[in-house]
């Protein structure tokens, strides 16, 4: 057995050595299950899930958890301890953020059962979340925002409104993913959230934005001072929102705005799902309420039946209704 002790103190290293040696003896002689720690599980999770589009978010959550979970044996991670830690996260951020961390903990512990490191996983209940409304802006608000943004962010935001692409797909877009002659672009499976390729039909606006970027960088489309843009939630973005008079608006809401505009323009939910690369139709239905007009024709189908309830009501029935009304009066 060879591994780092993680310390420069000889006494601590010797203590770790003795504990590991005792565990190894008990496993061999007594058949005890190895005592793995949360750190062991976290490392293996990152190694086996390195392909995930959200692996960086997993790493962010794991870094936060290390303050409380570092060195903890998996068998010591009971429901009370985990929920106490998640309550700290909820108070620091929100119920939604705490639930994202909870989902990661649950996924890792379930894999520990599969790896035969644990016998069972404690039952963890999510925190109640308030339903978040879809945040989008009008064309007038979008025009004000674009006017206030610096050129490099303006082009990226305008391109997002024209394509509905996620921020990472816009900032990471490379020239080998674009065909201006055919007016198409594509997102590779390893770049999309659901690990499926996305094809984008480029509008004239999107093509014009891309043409303005030509010659600025050899590989990446959107750059700033010769370097690919990696961060968009900057002071310049926040100041532009403030000057434009737009509140409670994130960069990701540009995607919501694109989808909302499409629905209001008559794009079907099924087509929008394909265009936006959503994995399930349920994720797209949140935009359906923005255009109830498409239900008008269906609502009118029973209009004749409803009107006949008055025009074709038999006279005795009408008399009975009048008598009941007079009695009530």
């Amino acid at each position: 057995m060879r591994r780092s002790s993680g310390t420069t103190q000889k006494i601590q290293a010797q203590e770790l050595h003795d504990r590991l040696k005792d565990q190894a003896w008990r496993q061999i002689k007594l058949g005890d299950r190895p005592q793995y720690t949360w750190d062991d599980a976290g490392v293996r999770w990152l190694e086996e899930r390195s392909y995930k589009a959200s692996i960086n978010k997993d790493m962010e959550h794991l870094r936060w958890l290390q303050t409380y979970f570092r060195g903890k044996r998996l068998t010591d991670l009971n429901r009370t301890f985990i929920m106490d830690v998640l309550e700290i996260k909820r108070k620091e951020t929100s119920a939604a953020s705490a639930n994202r961390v909870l989902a990661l903990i649950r996924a890792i512990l379930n894999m520990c059962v599969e790896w035969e490191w644990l016998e069972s996983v404690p039952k963890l209940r999510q925190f109640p979340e308030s339903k978040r409304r879809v945040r989008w802006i009008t064309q007038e608000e979008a025009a004000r925002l674009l006017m206030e943004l610096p050129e490099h962010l303006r082009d990226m935001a305008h391109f997002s409104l024209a394509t509905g692409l996620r921020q990472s797909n816009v900032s990471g877009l490379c020239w080998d993913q674009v065909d201006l002659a055919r007016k198409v672009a594509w997102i590779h499976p390893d770049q999309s959230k659901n690990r499926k390729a996305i094809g984008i039909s480029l509008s004239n606006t999107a093509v014009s934005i891309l043409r303005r970027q030509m010659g600025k960088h050899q590989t990446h489309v959107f750059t700033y001072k010769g370097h690919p843009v990696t961060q968009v939630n900057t002071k310049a973005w926040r100041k532009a929102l403030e000057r434009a008079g737009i509140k409670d608006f994130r960069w990701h809401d540009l995607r919501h705005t694109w989808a909302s505009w499409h629905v209001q323009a008559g794009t079907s939910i099924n087509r929008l799902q394909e265009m936006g690369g959503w994995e399930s139709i349920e994720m797209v239905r949140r935009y359906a309420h923005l255009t109830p007009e498409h239900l008008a024709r269906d609502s009118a189908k029973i209009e004749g039946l409803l009107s006949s309830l008055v025009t074709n009501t038999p006279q005795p029935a009408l008399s009975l209704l009048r008598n009941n009304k007079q009695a009530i009066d």
Side-chain angles (χ1 to χ4, degrees):
M1 180 184 297
R2 295 179 62 86
R3 57 175 287 187
S4 170
S5 64
T7 179
T8 58
Q9 301 296 319
K10 186 175 182 179
I11 295 178
Q12 294 177 353
Q14 185 64 48
E15 182 181 348
L16 175 63
H17 168 271
D18 294 342
R19 180 165 63 84
L20 292 176
K21 187 175 181 180
D22 176 67
Q23 289 178 2
W25 183 88
R26 295 186 63 85
Q27 292 165 25
I28 296 172
K29 300 297 183 180
L30 304 179
D32 286 0
R33 183 187 296 270
Q35 288 292 324
Y36 293 103
T37 66
W38 171 258
D39 309 72
D40 298 324
V43 169
R44 183 165 178 179
W45 172 267
L46 292 175
E47 289 176 348
E48 295 189 2
R49 293 295 187 277
S50 59
Y51 62 86
K52 285 182 62 180
S54 58
I55 192 65
N56 288 333
K57 182 61 68 174
D58 286 359
M59 293 174 66
E60 179 184 329
H61 292 330
L62 287 171
R63 279 194 294 269
W64 185 87
L65 285 169
Q66 278 302 93
T67 303
Y68 309 96
F69 281 28
R70 179 181 287 110
K72 286 281 186 181
R73 293 186 298 183
L74 294 175
T75 52
D76 293 336
L77 296 178
N78 56 47
R79 182 183 183 279
T80 301
F81 173 77
I82 294 173
M83 295 309 297
D84 285 345
V85 172
L86 290 173
E87 178 64 21
I88 297 172
K89 183 66 174 179
R90 187 191 67 81
K91 291 179 178 178
E92 288 182 357
T93 54
S94 65
S97 296
N99 284 338
R100 303 297 87 75
V101 178
L102 183 151
L104 176 62
I105 295 172
R106 182 186 289 153
I108 292 177
L109 293 182
N110 282 330
M111 286 305 302
C112 288
V113 173
E114 186 172 320
W115 298 331
E116 297 185 351
W117 290 8
L118 269 179
E119 291 186 0
S120 61
V121 176
K123 293 183 178 180
L124 305 174
R125 181 175 298 177
Q126 288 190 330
F127 295 102
E129 296 183 32
S130 58
K131 294 293 184 180
R132 182 181 176 88
R133 64 184 177 87
V134 174
R135 180 68 173 101
W136 60 280
I137 54 178
T138 64
Q139 295 179 24
E140 292 76 14
E141 290 175 314
R144 293 204 309 267
L145 175 58
L146 294 178
M147 287 293 293
E148 296 294 343
L149 286 169
E151 182 180 355
H152 69 289
L153 289 181
R154 182 190 309 133
D155 284 342
M156 294 180 69
H158 202 179
F159 189 75
S160 298
L161 289 170
T163 61
L165 286 175
R166 295 180 175 87
Q167 181 262 312
S168 60
N169 295 141
V170 174
S171 60
L173 188 66
C174 293
W175 287 114
D176 61 6
Q177 296 171 250
V178 176
D179 188 336
L180 291 178
R182 294 170 50 215
K183 297 176 66 173
V184 296
W186 51 89
I187 303 301
H188 298 300
D190 61 338
Q191 297 172 317
S192 68
K193 188 174 182 180
N194 62 5
R195 286 306 189 232
K196 295 181 180 178
I198 304 173
I200 306 105
S201 176
L202 299 174
S203 64
N204 292 334
T205 298
V207 170
S208 298
I209 296 170
L210 292 177
R211 290 192 185 281
R212 290 200 297 269
Q213 316 309 315
M214 296 179 69
K216 294 183 178 180
H217 197 273
Q218 186 175 0
T219 58
H220 284 71
V221 174
F222 295 103
T223 60
Y224 178 63
K225 293 184 177 180
H227 299 284
V229 177
T230 58
Q231 181 60 261
V232 294
N233 185 24
T234 61
K235 184 177 180 180
W237 164 258
R238 295 188 292 271
K239 287 293 184 181
L241 287 171
E242 185 178 338
R243 290 192 298 270
I246 299 174
K247 298 179 180 179
D248 185 30
F249 192 78
R250 309 163 302 163
W251 186 278
H252 188 71
D253 293 329
L254 293 171
R255 177 171 166 86
H256 292 323
T257 300
W258 167 83
S260 301
W261 288 357
H262 261 289
V263 169
Q264 293 172 57
T267 303
S268 71
I269 295 297
N270 290 331
R271 293 294 292 166
L272 185 62
Q273 178 186 2
E274 183 179 356
M275 293 167 64
W278 280 283
E279 187 171 8
S280 69
I281 195 68
E282 293 304 319
M283 300 179 70
V284 194
R285 291 193 186 281
R286 53 185 165 173
Y287 304 106
H289 72 283
L290 297 172
T291 177
E293 293 86 354
H294 73 285
L295 302 176
R297 184 169 57 183
D298 293 327
S299 298
K301 288 179 179 178
I302 63 170
E303 184 62 28
L305 297 175
L306 293 171
S307 61
S308 69
L309 294 177
V310 176
T311 58
N312 296 330
T313 301
Q315 288 302 315
L318 286 174
S319 300
L320 180 61
L321 288 173
R322 292 192 189 100
N323 293 336
N324 286 339
K325 183 178 184 302
Q326 291 173 358
I328 293 173
D329 292 341

